Short mmCIF file of all heavy atoms in Angstrom, two decimals:
data_model
loop_
_atom_site.label_atom_id
_atom_site.label_comp_id
_atom_site.label_asym_id
_atom_site.label_seq_id
_atom_site.Cartn_x
_atom_site.Cartn_y
_atom_site.Cartn_z
N VAL H 116 5.43 7.16 -17.76
CA VAL H 116 4.03 7.28 -18.15
C VAL H 116 3.54 6.08 -18.93
O VAL H 116 2.41 5.65 -18.80
CB VAL H 116 3.80 8.57 -18.97
CG1 VAL H 116 2.35 8.66 -19.41
CG2 VAL H 116 4.18 9.78 -18.14
N ILE H 117 4.42 5.50 -19.75
CA ILE H 117 3.98 4.44 -20.65
C ILE H 117 3.76 3.12 -19.92
O ILE H 117 2.79 2.43 -20.13
CB ILE H 117 5.00 4.24 -21.79
CG1 ILE H 117 5.10 5.51 -22.62
CG2 ILE H 117 4.60 3.05 -22.65
CD1 ILE H 117 6.19 5.48 -23.65
N SER H 118 4.69 2.75 -19.07
CA SER H 118 4.62 1.41 -18.49
C SER H 118 4.10 1.47 -17.07
O SER H 118 3.98 2.51 -16.46
CB SER H 118 6.01 0.76 -18.50
OG SER H 118 6.89 1.51 -17.70
N TYR H 119 3.80 0.27 -16.55
CA TYR H 119 3.29 0.18 -15.19
C TYR H 119 4.39 0.53 -14.20
O TYR H 119 5.54 0.17 -14.38
CB TYR H 119 2.79 -1.24 -14.93
CG TYR H 119 2.45 -1.46 -13.50
CD1 TYR H 119 1.30 -0.89 -12.95
CD2 TYR H 119 3.29 -2.18 -12.66
CE1 TYR H 119 0.99 -1.06 -11.63
CE2 TYR H 119 2.98 -2.34 -11.34
CZ TYR H 119 1.83 -1.77 -10.83
OH TYR H 119 1.54 -1.94 -9.50
N ASN H 120 4.01 1.25 -13.15
CA ASN H 120 4.99 1.63 -12.13
C ASN H 120 4.70 0.93 -10.82
O ASN H 120 3.72 1.23 -10.17
CB ASN H 120 4.91 3.14 -11.88
CG ASN H 120 5.29 3.91 -13.09
OD1 ASN H 120 6.44 3.95 -13.46
ND2 ASN H 120 4.30 4.49 -13.75
N GLU H 121 5.58 0.00 -10.45
CA GLU H 121 5.41 -0.67 -9.18
C GLU H 121 5.87 0.25 -8.07
O GLU H 121 6.90 0.90 -8.17
CB GLU H 121 6.23 -1.96 -9.14
CG GLU H 121 6.13 -2.70 -7.82
CD GLU H 121 6.91 -3.99 -7.80
OE1 GLU H 121 7.38 -4.41 -8.86
OE2 GLU H 121 7.05 -4.56 -6.70
N GLN H 122 5.07 0.31 -7.02
CA GLN H 122 5.47 1.05 -5.83
C GLN H 122 6.15 0.08 -4.88
O GLN H 122 5.59 -0.97 -4.54
CB GLN H 122 4.26 1.70 -5.17
CG GLN H 122 3.67 2.83 -5.99
CD GLN H 122 2.57 3.57 -5.26
OE1 GLN H 122 2.52 3.57 -4.02
NE2 GLN H 122 1.69 4.20 -6.00
N PHE H 123 7.32 0.43 -4.42
CA PHE H 123 8.09 -0.37 -3.48
C PHE H 123 7.97 0.27 -2.11
O PHE H 123 8.28 1.46 -1.95
CB PHE H 123 9.55 -0.45 -3.91
CG PHE H 123 9.75 -1.20 -5.19
CD1 PHE H 123 9.63 -0.56 -6.41
CD2 PHE H 123 10.05 -2.55 -5.18
CE1 PHE H 123 9.80 -1.26 -7.61
CE2 PHE H 123 10.23 -3.26 -6.36
CZ PHE H 123 10.10 -2.61 -7.57
N PHE H 124 7.54 -0.51 -1.15
CA PHE H 124 7.27 0.01 0.18
C PHE H 124 8.45 -0.19 1.13
O PHE H 124 9.13 -1.22 1.09
CB PHE H 124 6.03 -0.68 0.78
CG PHE H 124 4.73 -0.16 0.25
CD1 PHE H 124 4.29 -0.54 -1.01
CD2 PHE H 124 3.96 0.73 1.00
CE1 PHE H 124 3.09 -0.05 -1.52
CE2 PHE H 124 2.77 1.22 0.51
CZ PHE H 124 2.32 0.83 -0.76
N GLY H 125 8.65 0.80 1.98
CA GLY H 125 9.62 0.67 3.04
C GLY H 125 9.07 -0.13 4.20
O GLY H 125 7.90 -0.56 4.16
N PRO H 126 9.87 -0.34 5.24
CA PRO H 126 9.44 -1.16 6.39
C PRO H 126 8.47 -0.45 7.33
O PRO H 126 7.89 -1.08 8.20
CB PRO H 126 10.75 -1.48 7.09
CG PRO H 126 11.64 -0.34 6.73
CD PRO H 126 11.26 0.08 5.35
N GLY H 127 8.32 0.86 7.17
CA GLY H 127 7.35 1.58 7.99
C GLY H 127 7.94 2.16 9.26
O GLY H 127 8.97 1.74 9.76
#
Side-chain angles (χ1 to χ4, degrees):
Chain H
V116 178
I117 298 173
S118 63
Y119 171 73
N120 296 288
E121 178 179 350
Q122 291 186 24
F123 294 86
F124 282 77

